[in-house]
């Protein structure tokens, strides 16, 4: 088991994910707020908006007026905790309405349902479109992964994943590192469409 | 894209690519770094076993495509999806166009789909007045340039940052910097807007799982997640070959596909969609979802005994990544829409003979693609089969028919070779090369000197050479192949000499003839089968335990080619298998059977380097034996950069595409010279002919010899 966790960390780092261990969900919320605050992950200007983009693209950029954290798959009570921390820093914290934020948000926060050590992969239930959007339009995706859910390889996750797929409609994502491309001169660039950074918080559970 | 009228036209297009410096440099770096990345990704994995499992699984699915389709349809419909089946490209395009019109869609975002490239879907949708935007960065770039992909995974690999900056300048109306990070960010913002406005999303599907009616999509950018989420309508277009029974099949492919494609453990996003999911832009908050399956000849292909394995392809692009021809000319010339080795084959089936005719000839038969194929497809063989099929359909060119006729008549063939010796006399130089090329060769063949036919063929020398062994420990027979028999008999003499002291009784069956590979390369399969039978018969007369062949090309053809050629022939298939059992290459016989020891050799050998013939290192999977042998024989072996890359000979290939052959040759010789070795050794007379000819033209001091010649010379007298 602890082998899996070490392997998971190693593989996730190889694909440019950043892995941190947290003891509790409260610590995870604090991580989000700190990330937004201290590391200046939260900025009014979204990535790319300072470049020479077309006028219509600039308009979409300009729709972002506030610093935003989205946490679409938290239970009500948990969400309130995070929202309170955000409020103290004057960030917006939302659970839905992602379509109003296609210009971009700062942090998408989710809790994952599984992990694969062999590849450093997260399994994220995305039936709810807010989850899909929050994890794609956010510049930083912060994902909590309870350690007990990490499996050695994809075959070990097969049954669980299979049950999700068999109970449609369903939408399930396997996520391995941030969005990336090497389409221009084979130079690796992170964050072409989705998050520029992926933070995985391994939760003691 | 293939628009060349004929081979001549095609060759002048190849010339353009060869002159494109940026392309050449990019593809060179890519070829080298890909190889390292792939090796690293698979370092703890039994990749051959995994590939075999994938091949078996895909074959099984191919045989049940129709049932799988029905099962998928039932399950997907139960989850609210509309499932369609299109018999050809036009029908697929029409169905998708109608879906868009019925749902009153105006703007479409697309994530990457090779199947949509296959049907030229964008053209059709644009003709209907719809706005289509590709969202995969590479696809978007080539869409803006109105061109096709040059790689199945990296469609814009042929373009530089400067070209992209110019293009983005036009799109945004703002001047762009040439910093790649910044260009990617610009694309991020421009495409984000497109997603926000779109009312229809089109994706491909890497997997269609029958058991649950699920589609699986593999991307690195994550664009497929946005394409399948934001617009209210989603259409997935997939070939019937993407149907697979279970999730397990897909997970198995995922253990190879990303590693083979880009050296990644897994792509950033694997998205699984079952049914019509939540979509807040739709009226009832449910996505309108369609899956369109494309047949376009796949059902027929599944029934073809030879070509059915083509349906195993998982579109990883690896067969282009390792192809020496792709590396020289890029994807626009090494494919039509599908690219690389598989492209040569699929073009014939999906886009017709006209597009495939020139293309299929552009394969040097080096086997690099088959060696890495994620689905274990025997690509070079199928390429030759297509070539043969096209010739069967259109008539064989005279030269190819003649070659076939001559080769099947051993006596005539050997008489012609001997006559050629007289004909060449006026142009023969003392150094064993022809002073200038006989009239039948075009001037462009002059990049390498051609050797003269030897004064005496090996078969005529044999009675004097045959060793006298009183109490043999080993009984072997020699297969010479034409080049060693008639051009380089010394190599065979050296082969026999190097067995000294091991009590090897050697036999040379006189009825043996050309192995038939040239006929196969020219698409003359009937002739290839005829000579195969003659040779098997000739060696059945001998009681030898081993048939030793010091020509790698012949050896691999005798061992693997014959069995495939005679497959299904009740009389000959078992005989071909028994024959194949006995075939062994020179180095393996020395290292593994005789187990020669260092004390048999002098210890101060010259500094040598090595060229690994394609048909030895991949064809026969012999890698260590020659290297061990050189060291055991006291030679100072210095490995060469890219030792296993083709030298550009490829038999008749070098005649057809001299411009490509000479590029490969010069690269090989530069690498060999860079080792500082005095000699370049290898185990194939075809390679030697090419390499020596090149050395002669370059005026290089490098000496090229068969490994047997160097080993025999090192033997203590
Ligand atoms: S055999 Fe060699 S030349 Fe032919 S397609 Fe495969 S890699 Fe390319
Ligand atoms: S033929 Fe093989 S190597 Fe080529 S793309 Fe298909 S699976 Fe990959």
């Amino acid at each position: 088991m602890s082998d899996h966790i070490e392997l998971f960390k190693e593989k996730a780092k190889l694909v440019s994910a950043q892995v941190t261990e947290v003891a509790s969900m409260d610590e995870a919320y604090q991580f989000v707020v700190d990330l937004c605050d201290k590391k200046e992950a939260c900025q009014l200007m979204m990535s790319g908006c300072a470049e020479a983009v077309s006028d219509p693209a600039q308009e979409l950029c300009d729709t972002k007026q506030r610093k935003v954290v989205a946490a679409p798959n938290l239970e009500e009570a948990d969400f309130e905790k995070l929202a309170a921390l955000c409020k103290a820093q004057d960030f917006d914290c939302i659970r839905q309405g992602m379509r109003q934020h296609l210009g971009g948000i700062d942090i998408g926060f989710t809790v994952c349902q599984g992990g694969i050590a062999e590849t450093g992969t997260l399994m994220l239930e995305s039936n709810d479109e807010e989850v899909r959007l929050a994890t794609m339009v956010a510049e930083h995706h912060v994902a909590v992964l309870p350690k007990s859910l990490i499996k050695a390889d994809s075959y070990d996750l097969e049954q669980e994943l299979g049950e999700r797929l068999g109970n449609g409609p369903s939408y399930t994502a396997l996520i391995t590192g941030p969005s990336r491309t090497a389409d221009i001169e084979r130079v690796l660039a992170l964050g072409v469409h989705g998050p520029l950074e992926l933070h995985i918080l391994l939760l003691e559970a | 894209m293939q628009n060349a009228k004929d081979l001549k036209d095609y060759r002048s297009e190849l010339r353009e690519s060869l002159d494109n410096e940026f392309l050449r440099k990019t593809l060179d770096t890519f070829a080298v770094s890909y190889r390292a990345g792939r090796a690293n990704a698979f370092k703890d994995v039994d990749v051959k076993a995994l590939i075999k499992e994938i091949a078996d699984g895909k074959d099984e699915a191919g045989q049940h495509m129709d049932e799988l389709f029905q099962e998928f349809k039932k399950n997907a419909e139960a989850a609210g999806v509309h499932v369609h089946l299109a018999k050809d490209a036009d029908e697929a395009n029409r169905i998708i166009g109608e879906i868009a019109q019925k749902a009153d869609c105006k703007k479409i975002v697309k994530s990457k789909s090779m199947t949509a490239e296959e049907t030229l879907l964008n053209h059709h949708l644009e003709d209907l007045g719809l706005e289509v935007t590709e969202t995969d960065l590479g696809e978007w770039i080539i869409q803006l340039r109105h061109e096709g992909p040059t790689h199945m995974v990296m469609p814009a690999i042929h373009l530089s940052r400067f070209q992209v900056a110019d293009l983005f300048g036009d799109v945004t109306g703002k001047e762009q910097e040439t910093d790649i990070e910044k260009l990617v960010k610009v694309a991020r913002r421009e495409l984000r807007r497109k997603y926000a406005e779109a009312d229809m999303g089109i994706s491909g599907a890497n997997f269609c799982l029958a058991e649950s009616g699920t589609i699986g999509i593999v991307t690195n950018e994550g664009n497929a997640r946005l394409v399948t989420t934001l617009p209210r309508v989603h259409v997935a277009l997939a070939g019937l070959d993407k149907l697979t029974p279970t999730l397990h099949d897909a997970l198995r492919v995922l253990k190879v596909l990303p590693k083979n494609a880009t050296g990644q453990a897994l792509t950033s996003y694997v998205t699984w969609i079952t049914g019509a999911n939540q979509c807040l832009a739709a009226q009832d908050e449910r996505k309108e979802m369609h899956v369109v399956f494309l047949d376009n000849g796949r059902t027929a292909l599944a029934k073809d005994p030879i070509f059915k394995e083509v349906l195993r392809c998982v579109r990883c692009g690896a067969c282009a990544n390792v192809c020496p021809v792709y590396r020289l000319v890029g994807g626009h010339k090494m494919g039509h829409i599908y690219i690389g080795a598989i492209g040569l084959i699929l073009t014939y089936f999906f886009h017709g003979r006209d597009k495939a005719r020139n293309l299929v000839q552009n394969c040097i038969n080096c086997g690099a693609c088959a060696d890495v194929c994620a689905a274990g497809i025997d690509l070079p063989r199928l390429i030759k089969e297509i070539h043969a099929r096209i010739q069967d359909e259109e008539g064989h060119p005279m030269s190819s028919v003649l070659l076939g006729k001559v080769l099947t008549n051993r006596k005539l063939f050997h008489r012609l070779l001997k006559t050629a010796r007289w004909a060449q006399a006026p142009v023969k130089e003392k150094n064993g090369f022809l002073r200038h090329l006989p009239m039948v060769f075009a001037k462009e063949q002059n990049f390498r000197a051609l050797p003269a036919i030897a004064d005496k063929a090996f078969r005529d020398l044999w009675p004097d050479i045959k060793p006298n062994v009183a109490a043999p420990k080993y009984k072997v027979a020699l297969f010479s192949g034409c080049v060693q028999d008639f051009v380089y008999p010394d190599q065979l003499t050296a082969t026999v000499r190097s067995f000294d002291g091991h009590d090897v009784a050697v036999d040379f069956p006189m009825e043996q003839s050309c192995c038939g590979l040239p006929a196969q390369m020219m698409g003359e399969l009937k002739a290839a089968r005829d000579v195969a039978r003659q040779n098997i018969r000739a060696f059945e007369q001998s009681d030898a335990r081993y048939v030793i062949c010091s020509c790698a090309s012949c050896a691999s053809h005798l061992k693997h080619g014959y069995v495939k050629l005679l497959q299904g022939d009740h009389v000959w298939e078992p005989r071909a298998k028994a024959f194949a059992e006995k075939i062994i290459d020179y180095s393996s016989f020395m290292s593994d059977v005789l187990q020669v020891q260092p004390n048999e050799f002098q210890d101060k050998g010259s500094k040598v380097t090595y060229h690994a013939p394609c048909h030895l290192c991949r064809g026969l999977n012999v890698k260590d034996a020659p290297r061990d042998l050189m060291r055991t024989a006291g030679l100072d072996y210095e490995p060469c950069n890219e030792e296993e890359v083709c030298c550009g000979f490829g038999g008749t290939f070098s005649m057809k595409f001299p411009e490509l052959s000479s590029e490969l040759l010069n690269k090989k010789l530069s690498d060999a010279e860079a080792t500082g070795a005095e000699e370049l050794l290898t185990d194939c007379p075809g390679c030697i002919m090419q390499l020596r000819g090149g050395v002669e033209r370059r005026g290089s001091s490098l000496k090229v010899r068969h490994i047997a010649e160097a080993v025999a010379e090192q033997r203590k007298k």
Side-chain angles (χ1 to χ4, degrees):
Chain A
M1 184 62 213
S2 66
D3 285 2
H4 296 173
I5 294 168
E6 284 315 306
L7 184 64
F8 182 92
K9 283 193 206 162
E10 181 197 325
K11 296 294 177 180
K13 283 176 191 159
L14 275 181
V15 291
S16 327
Q18 303 178 34
V19 186
T20 311
E21 304 211 20
V22 292
S24 65
M25 282 302 280
D26 286 337
E27 221 178 275
Y29 305 143
Q30 196 57 48
F31 180 94
V32 171
V33 179
D34 288 350
L35 180 68
C36 212
D37 202 31
K38 293 198 193 99
K39 294 188 185 160
E40 294 178 30
C42 285
Q43 290 163 340
L44 272 185
M45 179 88 90
M46 292 277 88
S47 172
C49 288
E51 309 304 338
V53 299
S54 68
D55 296 341
Q58 193 61 53
E59 275 169 35
L60 186 59
C61 280
D62 295 343
T63 59
K64 185 174 185 261
Q65 298 294 339
R66 304 254 311 151
K67 299 173 181 178
V68 185
V69 173
N73 74 355
L74 285 187
E75 298 294 333
E76 183 80 40
D78 296 327
F79 178 77
E80 291 309 329
K81 286 188 193 165
L82 177 61
L85 288 175
C86 288
K87 191 154 184 228
Q89 306 286 337
D90 197 27
F91 310 145
D92 287 350
C93 186
I94 59 172
R95 285 177 85 188
Q96 55 201 23
M98 287 306 308
R99 280 181 188 263
Q100 270 65 63
H101 294 273
L102 296 182
I105 63 166
D106 301 282
I107 293 182
F109 179 80
T110 59
V111 180
C112 297
Q113 291 76 31
I116 304 171
E118 192 191 27
T119 47
T121 302
L122 303 169
M123 176 171 78
L124 179 65
E125 176 183 304
S126 309
N127 297 350
D128 190 343
E129 82 157 33
E130 305 287 4
V131 173
R132 282 174 254 157
L133 292 177
T135 54
M136 283 309 288
V137 305
E139 311 239 305
H140 295 225
H141 177 194
V142 180
V144 174
L145 174 61
K147 284 182 180 174
S148 58
L149 300 182
I150 299 178
K151 299 286 178 8
D153 89 339
S154 58
Y155 289 161
D156 297 326
L157 196 70
E158 182 178 333
Q159 198 185 349
E160 247 184 276
L161 179 58
E163 276 161 21
R164 289 177 186 280
L165 306 191
N167 280 312
S170 72
Y171 196 119
T172 313
L174 298 181
I175 300 176
T176 310
S179 160
R180 64 182 61 218
T181 186
D183 274 350
I184 305 178
E185 294 192 9
R186 294 182 47 251
V187 173
L188 179 67
L190 297 180
V192 52
H193 292 292
L196 292 92
E197 286 184 15
L198 173 64
H199 295 265
I200 301 173
L201 306 183
L202 292 181
L203 178 66
E204 213 56 64
Chain B
M1 291 269 172
Q2 289 304 310
N3 295 313
K5 291 193 301 294
D6 49 26
L7 201 62
K8 187 157 165 267
D9 215 25
Y10 179 52
R11 280 181 53 198
S12 70
E13 288 183 4
L14 296 177
R15 185 76 258 166
E16 276 168 37
S17 288
L18 289 175
D19 293 340
N20 180 338
E21 235 173 88
F22 173 80
L23 183 73
R24 294 289 298 278
K25 211 169 129 249
T26 303
L27 295 181
D28 270 343
T29 343
F30 172 51
V32 174
S33 69
Y34 168 76
R35 241 187 340 251
R38 181 184 189 271
N40 184 45
F42 281 121
K43 74 177 177 304
D44 303 319
V45 184
D46 182 355
V47 54
K48 293 275 176 214
L50 209 47
I51 287 175
K52 176 81 175 62
E53 278 182 42
I54 292 174
D56 292 345
K58 284 288 229 173
D59 282 351
E60 184 66 21
Q63 292 316 298
H64 299 98
M65 230 147 60
D66 190 42
E67 290 118 280
L68 291 173
F69 171 74
Q70 296 304 340
E71 190 186 344
F72 181 94
K73 186 169 153 74
K74 188 180 92 223
N75 290 324
E77 283 175 350
V81 178
H82 308 271
V83 180
H84 313 254
L85 177 60
K87 65 175 184 315
D88 57 19
D90 286 345
E91 193 176 352
N93 293 347
R94 207 187 63 234
I95 291 172
I96 297 172
E98 283 171 10
I99 294 171
Q101 288 173 324
K102 247 195 224 141
D104 196 25
C105 299
K106 300 279 184 295
K107 296 188 174 184
I108 299 175
V109 280
K110 249 180 101 218
S111 68
K112 192 175 157 67
S113 158
M114 281 308 293
T115 316
E117 299 275 358
E118 174 185 333
T119 67
L120 300 172
L121 176 62
N122 290 3
H123 295 287
H124 176 75
L125 297 175
E126 282 164 359
D127 287 348
L128 295 177
L130 299 160
E131 181 193 300
V132 187
T133 308
E134 294 285 353
T135 61
D136 172 88
L137 178 58
E139 289 284 334
W140 188 49
I141 292 170
I142 60 168
Q143 182 192 27
L144 293 171
R145 286 176 56 95
H146 307 289
E147 59 186 12
T150 52
H151 190 280
M152 296 203 291
V153 177
M154 290 161 292
I157 191 174
H158 59 297
L159 298 172
S160 72
R161 64 188 79 189
F162 303 99
Q163 287 165 296
V164 176
D166 283 350
L167 198 61
F168 284 9
D170 295 342
V171 172
T172 56
K174 313 266 165 75
E175 193 169 330
Q176 298 292 329
E177 294 175 50
T178 53
D179 177 316
I180 291 177
E181 283 268 330
K182 292 192 174 195
L183 291 168
V184 170
K185 292 287 156 57
V186 170
R188 176 183 173 95
R189 297 316 311 182
E190 297 298 330
L191 290 168
R192 183 67 64 81
R193 169 172 80 89
K194 297 289 183 186
Y195 294 117
E197 292 168 352
D199 32 33
M200 179 165 167
I202 298 178
S203 73
N206 295 79
F207 310 103
C208 301
L209 313 182
E211 62 175 356
S212 53
T214 305
I215 61 166
I217 310 174
V218 173
T219 73
N220 268 323
E221 301 184 0
N223 53 329
R225 294 188 87 209
L226 288 168
V227 161
T228 58
T229 296
L230 281 168
R232 59 193 159 80
V233 180
H234 170 207
V235 180
L237 173 63
L240 281 171
D241 51 309
K242 296 298 186 302
L243 281 159
T244 198
T246 64
L247 172 63
H248 188 75
D249 304 314
L251 293 179
R252 188 169 53 213
V253 169
L254 284 173
K255 284 181 185 285
V256 175
L257 173 60
K259 295 191 181 82
N260 221 38
T262 53
Q264 285 173 275
L266 193 58
T267 38
S268 304
Y269 298 95
V270 183
T271 301
W272 305 98
I273 304 173
T274 310
N277 274 274
Q278 184 191 48
C279 175
L280 300 179
Q283 254 177 5
D284 54 354
E285 302 199 345
R286 281 284 136 200
K287 176 84 73 184
E288 176 182 334
M289 184 175 171
H290 300 260
V291 179
V292 179
F293 283 100
L294 175 67
D295 190 325
N296 208 20
R298 287 165 172 84
T299 305
L301 210 47
K303 298 199 179 92
D304 189 308
I306 295 172
F307 288 103
K308 60 173 191 255
E309 64 184 79
V310 167
L311 294 175
R312 292 180 193 161
C313 173
V314 297
R315 313 278 189 259
C316 68
C319 54
N321 303 354
V322 298
C323 174
V325 178
Y326 175 83
R327 176 172 172 178
L328 287 176
V329 302
H332 282 154
K333 311 294 149 64
M334 189 61 176
H336 175 55
I337 283 171
Y338 291 102
I339 287 154
I342 192 70
L344 268 47
I345 300 166
L346 291 180
T347 299
Y348 172 82
F349 289 106
F350 296 157
H351 299 104
R353 203 160 67 200
D354 269 355
K355 303 286 182 198
R357 189 180 298 112
N358 303 315
L359 210 50
V360 291
Q361 303 185 48
N362 202 0
C363 161
I364 199 165
N365 204 28
C366 72
C369 50
D371 200 40
V372 298
C373 174
I377 306 173
D378 190 352
L379 295 154
R381 172 179 179 229
L382 297 184
I383 293 168
K384 301 299 163 238
E385 291 276 356
I386 301 264
H387 184 200
R389 216 178 248 211
I390 293 179
Q391 290 196 0
D392 287 346
E393 289 164 356
E394 301 192 326
H396 293 227
M398 208 46 194
S399 55
S400 150
V401 178
L402 266 180
L403 177 90
K405 283 230 158 36
V406 169
L407 285 188
T408 39
N409 184 337
R410 181 186 70 77
K411 288 200 173 127
L412 169 67
F413 176 47
H414 287 170
R415 201 159 57 237
L416 281 175
L417 282 172
K418 286 179 185 169
T419 323
R421 189 168 78 227
W422 299 111
Q424 77 191 4
V427 290
K428 188 175 160 188
E429 300 243 25
K430 280 207 192 61
N431 63 7
F433 290 103
L434 301 181
R435 192 179 320 125
H436 54 76
L437 296 175
M439 294 302 283
V440 291
F441 294 111
K443 193 166 77 257
E444 58 215 352
Q445 294 293 338
N446 218 8
F447 66 93
R448 49 150 196 230
L450 282 184
I453 306 268
D455 288 337
K456 225 171 175 184
F458 182 76
R459 55 181 59 238
D460 300 326
L461 298 168
W462 177 239
D464 303 329
I465 292 168
K466 187 175 165 64
N468 234 329
V469 181
K473 264 213 271 193
Y474 307 90
K475 285 186 175 176
V476 308
L478 286 184
F479 183 91
S480 66
C482 335
V483 180
Q484 287 188 328
D485 195 353
F486 290 90
V487 181
Y488 298 135
D490 292 353
Q491 296 174 7
L492 285 166
T493 310
T495 299
V496 176
R497 287 281 128 76
S498 55
F499 303 155
D500 279 359
H502 286 271
D503 297 320
V504 183
V506 191
D507 187 10
F508 185 81
M510 285 292 169
E511 296 299 311
Q512 62 180 290
S513 186
C514 170
C515 70
L517 183 61
Q520 181 160 340
M521 284 289 286
M522 297 282 279
E524 295 296 326
L525 291 185
K526 190 182 165 302
R529 278 190 198 100
D530 282 352
V531 245
R533 292 193 191 97
Q534 285 178 32
N535 282 321
I536 294 173
R537 200 180 288 121
F539 281 83
E540 280 170 349
Q541 312 297 321
S542 161
D543 64 347
R545 163 69 188 85
Y546 295 101
V547 174
I548 295 175
C549 182
S550 43
C551 168
S553 292
C554 299
S556 117
H557 189 55
L558 301 178
K559 200 168 181 78
H560 302 305
Y562 280 14
V563 179
K564 283 176 195 153
L565 273 170
L566 298 170
Q567 207 166 31
D569 180 327
H570 300 307
V571 178
W572 285 96
E573 190 180 334
R575 288 167 80 174
K577 281 188 176 151
F579 178 60
E581 273 299 300
K582 297 185 182 170
I583 304 295
I584 188 167
D585 65 285
Y586 168 75
S587 295
S588 299
F589 183 72
M590 292 292 282
S591 289
D592 305 341
V593 180
L594 296 188
Q595 301 184 5
V596 292
Q597 299 300 320
N599 61 15
E600 302 173 37
F601 299 95
Q602 306 165 49
D603 49 359
K604 275 263 164 272
S606 54
K607 182 166 177 183
V608 301
T609 188
Y610 180 64
H611 162 61
C614 301
H615 294 152
L616 190 73
C617 66
R618 286 177 292 272
L620 293 171
N621 199 22
V622 171
K623 299 187 186 237
D624 296 337
R627 286 145 176 140
D628 291 347
L629 179 60
M630 286 183 285
R631 293 194 179 103
T632 307
L635 295 160
D636 174 15
Y637 160 51
E638 176 72 31
C640 177
N641 192 22
E642 300 204 56
E643 213 163 72
E644 296 191 344
V645 172
C646 182
C647 68
F649 179 59
T652 43
F653 177 91
S654 57
M655 300 284 174
K656 255 187 211 161
F657 298 102
E659 54 284 85
L660 303 184
S661 178
S662 80
E663 291 288 338
L664 292 173
L665 172 59
N666 281 314
K667 165 88 171 67
K668 177 57 72 175
L669 290 175
S670 301
D671 283 337
E673 284 163 359
T675 62
E678 298 155 48
E679 280 200 63
L680 170 59
L681 301 182
T682 186
D683 351 32
C684 180
C687 302
I688 293 176
M689 191 146 86
Q690 170 90 341
L691 297 167
R692 271 193 196 159
V695 161
E696 172 75 10
R697 281 289 174 271
R698 275 160 88 101
S700 164
S701 63
L702 203 62
K703 197 165 146 196
V704 183
R705 284 207 293 181
H706 194 284
I707 191 169
E709 296 176 280
V711 170
E713 194 177 273
Q714 278 293 102
R715 201 167 256 303
K716 283 181 184 158
K717 298 290 175 284

